[in-house]
Amino acid sequence: MAFDPIPLNLPSYPFKLKRVEQILYIFDEIRKKYLVLTPEEWVRQHFIKMLIREKQFPSTLIQIEGGLQLHQLQKRSDILVYTNHGKKIMLIECKAPSVKISQNTFDQAARYNLVHKAPWLVVTNGLQHFYTSISHEEKTYRFHPELPPYPAL
């Protein structure tokens, strides 16, 4: 599997990449290991770096590919962010750049968030980003043009 990284609509960062035979790997600084570089992983790693470097999210509060139980099925959320007090604050669903963000994409992320109940839901394919704040009590949501920095959430 060979994936050539493409530019995304996110800041560019210096990633540790290595190639073993025909497979390209990227170093994940959160999980402290090399992962196969897929298009979705490329988006996930960029978004994580943006959270840490641009939005001041502490890396220790970011969980990647955490498991969740949904209707007796085991699923994985892409990125889950916590507060300093251990409360879930944001769920991020990452797709490959070739995947169009659609209602189905939002529905998948919203189903995952039924479990997590995070007040922020983000959907990105690296080219388009949708930032949504959610009031679970009032059953309302609002789209935002940008994600606020960490302390403001």
Side-chain angles (χ1 to χ4, degrees), residues 94-139:
C94 300
K95 295 296 183 188
S98 61
V99 175
K100 185 177 184 225
I101 304 294
S102 66
Q103 185 63 50
N104 287 340
T105 312
F106 274 99
D107 290 347
Q108 175 191 2
R111 281 192 300 274
Y112 291 178
N113 206 29
L114 287 173
V115 174
H116 293 300
K117 298 199 181 317
W120 280 85
L121 181 63
V122 177
V123 178
T124 181
N125 65 4
L127 303 173
Q128 291 183 290
H129 323 290
F130 295 92
Y131 307 111
T132 313
S133 60
I134 300 168
S135 169
H136 295 282
E137 300 81 26
E138 297 175 16
K139 298 183 183 345

Side-chain angles (χ1 to χ4, degrees), residues 39-141:
E40 184 177 311
E41 193 63 46
W42 186 239
V43 172
R44 184 172 23 249
Q45 292 301 318
H46 271 81
F47 208 87
I48 291 166
K49 287 272 197 205
M50 185 272 298
L51 288 175
I52 295 167
R53 292 195 177 175
E54 314 305 323
K55 301 295 182 178
Q56 289 73 52
F57 282 80
S59 62
T60 55
L61 301 180
I62 298 172
Q63 179 187 25
I64 303 171
E65 291 193 323
L68 65 103
Q69 189 83 22
L70 182 65
H71 308 298
Q72 285 86 41
L73 298 174
Q74 191 63 31
K75 301 287 187 182
R76 289 192 172 278
S77 50
D78 284 321
I79 304 169
L80 193 57
V81 182
Y82 293 83
T83 66
N84 284 330
H85 304 291
K87 183 179 177 201
K88 297 171 186 174
I89 194 168
M90 182 172 22
L91 176 65
I92 303 161
E93 179 64 26
C94 300
K95 295 296 183 188
S98 61
V99 175
K100 185 177 184 225
I101 304 294
S102 66
Q103 185 63 50
N104 287 340
T105 312
F106 274 99
D107 290 347
Q108 175 191 2
R111 281 192 300 274
Y112 291 178
N113 206 29
L114 287 173
V115 174
H116 293 300
K117 298 199 181 317
W120 280 85
L121 181 63
V122 177
V123 178
T124 181
N125 65 4
L127 303 173
Q128 291 183 290
H129 323 290
F130 295 92
Y131 307 111
T132 313
S133 60
I134 300 168
S135 169
H136 295 282
E137 300 81 26
E138 297 175 16
K139 298 183 183 345
T140 60
Y141 63 91

Side-chain angles (χ1 to χ4, degrees), residues 27-40:
F27 188 75
D28 181 325
E29 293 183 20
I30 303 287
R31 292 178 274 187
K32 306 290 188 218
K33 65 181 181 178
Y34 278 93
L35 305 168
V36 173
L37 182 58
T38 63
E40 184 177 311

